[in-house]
């Protein structure tokens, strides 16, 4: 697999499934900016706010390249597909999703404590023109399931096993997927500025030798007490290399 270019947005991406890509990286002459909301913003209102922010920055809506969502609770397989089908409608209106290929990277997780009442935006990223900018990228969230057809339960590593050994194997799989995606975009852990993990289970038995030793926590590790978006998944990660971040 190789990365594809999305010229209208000023970035390249890893082709994946219809709801998101495996990750994005700014093309030469562009940089990725991350914007985080102080509080989760419901999806429809979030798209409106994102449109204003991107437009005010003088950028086309096609520069929208990544987002981080928060949902009330993990979905069933059917529920997750239904949500994704509604989510991509706006991306199609913005000229990003063509009905088959979706270049936007995404994570979507479910806070265990004080979740939002409906799916909401936590953060998003877009490209800006930036001559001689350092390379920037966002790797999409991945849980411990292979991408592909069929139910998640059929593709999940050690389904239902939240023992220390089970979680270690899940983490190894996800870390390996992060490394694969980084490599496809020409990066490694050494290029990251942030790594995030999403689980409600104990990281400490494998934090040092599986995460830190790989270099995956070179800038520290942000642990969100959240579950992945589909029932039966227990561990998710994403990472990025971004020089500019804002909170609004």
């Amino acid at each position: 697999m190789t990365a594809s270019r999305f010229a209208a947005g000023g970035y390249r991406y890893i082709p994946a499934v219809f709801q998101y890509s495996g990750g994005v990286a700014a093309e030469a002459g562009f940089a990725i900016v991350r914007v985080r909301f102080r509080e989760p913003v419901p999806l429809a209102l979030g798209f409106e706010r994102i449109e204003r922010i991107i437009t005010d920055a003088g950028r086309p809506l096609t520069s929208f390249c990544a987002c981080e969502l928060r949902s009330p609770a993990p979905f069933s397989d059917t529920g997750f597909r239904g949500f994704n089908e509604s989510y991509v409608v706006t991306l199609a209106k913005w000229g990003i999703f063509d009905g088959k290929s979706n270049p936007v990277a995404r994570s979507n997780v479910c806070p265990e404590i004080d979740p939002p009442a409906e799916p909401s935006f936590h953060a998003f990223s877009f490209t800006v023109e930036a001559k001689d900018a350092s390379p920037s990228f966002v790797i999409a969230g991945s849980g411990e399931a292979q991408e592909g057809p069929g139910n998640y339960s059929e593709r999940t590593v050690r389904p239902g096993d939240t023992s220390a050994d089970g979680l270690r194997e899940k983490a190894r799989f996800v870390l390996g997927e992060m490394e694969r995606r980084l490599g496809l975009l020409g990066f490694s852990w050494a290029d990251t500025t942030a790594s995030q993990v999403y689980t409600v289970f104990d990281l400490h038995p494998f934090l040092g030798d599986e995460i830190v030793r790989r270099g995956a926590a070179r800038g520290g590790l942000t642990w969100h007490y959240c579950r992945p978006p589909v029932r039966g998944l227990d561990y998710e990660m994403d990472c990025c290399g971004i020089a500019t971040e804002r909170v609004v």
Side-chain angles (χ1 to χ4, degrees), residues 24-227:
V24 297
E27 291 277 72
F30 295 91
I32 294 174
V33 173
R34 179 178 184 258
V35 180
R36 178 169 64 84
F37 296 110
R38 291 185 183 276
E39 299 292 339
V41 182
L43 206 67
L45 178 58
F47 273 124
E48 291 177 8
R49 289 187 63 182
I50 290 167
E51 182 171 355
R52 288 197 299 271
I53 290 169
I54 290 176
T55 301
D56 288 347
R59 294 291 292 146
L61 295 177
T62 50
S63 65
F64 180 75
C65 64
C67 64
E68 300 162 53
L69 305 182
R70 297 292 185 265
S71 291
F75 296 89
S76 65
D77 284 67
T78 301
F80 193 50
R81 182 171 184 85
F83 167 75
N84 289 324
E85 288 172 345
S86 64
Y87 158 79
V88 298
V89 169
T90 300
L91 301 187
K93 291 179 180 177
W94 287 2
I96 297 173
F97 176 57
D98 63 6
K100 295 180 181 179
S101 179
N102 187 345
V104 177
R106 193 184 84 184
S107 63
N108 182 5
V109 296
C110 310
E112 184 75 351
I113 297 171
D114 194 24
E118 60 185 286
S120 302
F121 281 100
H122 170 70
F124 74 97
S125 299
F126 69 107
T127 61
V128 297
E129 294 185 11
K131 185 179 179 181
D132 300 325
S134 299
S136 52
F137 61 90
V138 177
I139 303 300
S142 174
E144 75 274 22
Q146 294 276 2
E147 296 288 1
N151 292 331
Y152 274 86
S153 60
E154 300 168 356
R155 301 182 272 115
T156 298
V157 174
R158 305 270 293 252
D161 185 352
T162 56
S163 67
D165 285 344
L167 288 167
R168 179 184 292 269
E169 189 169 339
K170 292 171 188 282
R172 282 177 178 162
F173 172 85
V174 174
L175 285 156
E177 180 62 11
M178 293 291 99
E179 290 165 358
R180 184 185 75 86
R181 296 178 183 183
L182 283 164
L184 286 171
L185 292 173
F187 300 107
S188 70
W189 290 119
D191 301 299
T192 59
T193 57
S195 296
Q196 303 186 106
V197 64
Y198 310 94
T199 187
V200 299
F201 298 101
D202 188 9
L203 296 175
H204 294 97
F206 56 86
L207 174 62
D209 55 348
E210 296 292 348
I211 297 176
V212 177
R213 195 176 296 280
R214 288 174 184 252
R218 63 186 303 274
L221 182 73
T222 301
W223 178 2
H224 297 265
Y225 196 64
C226 298
R227 294 182 185 272

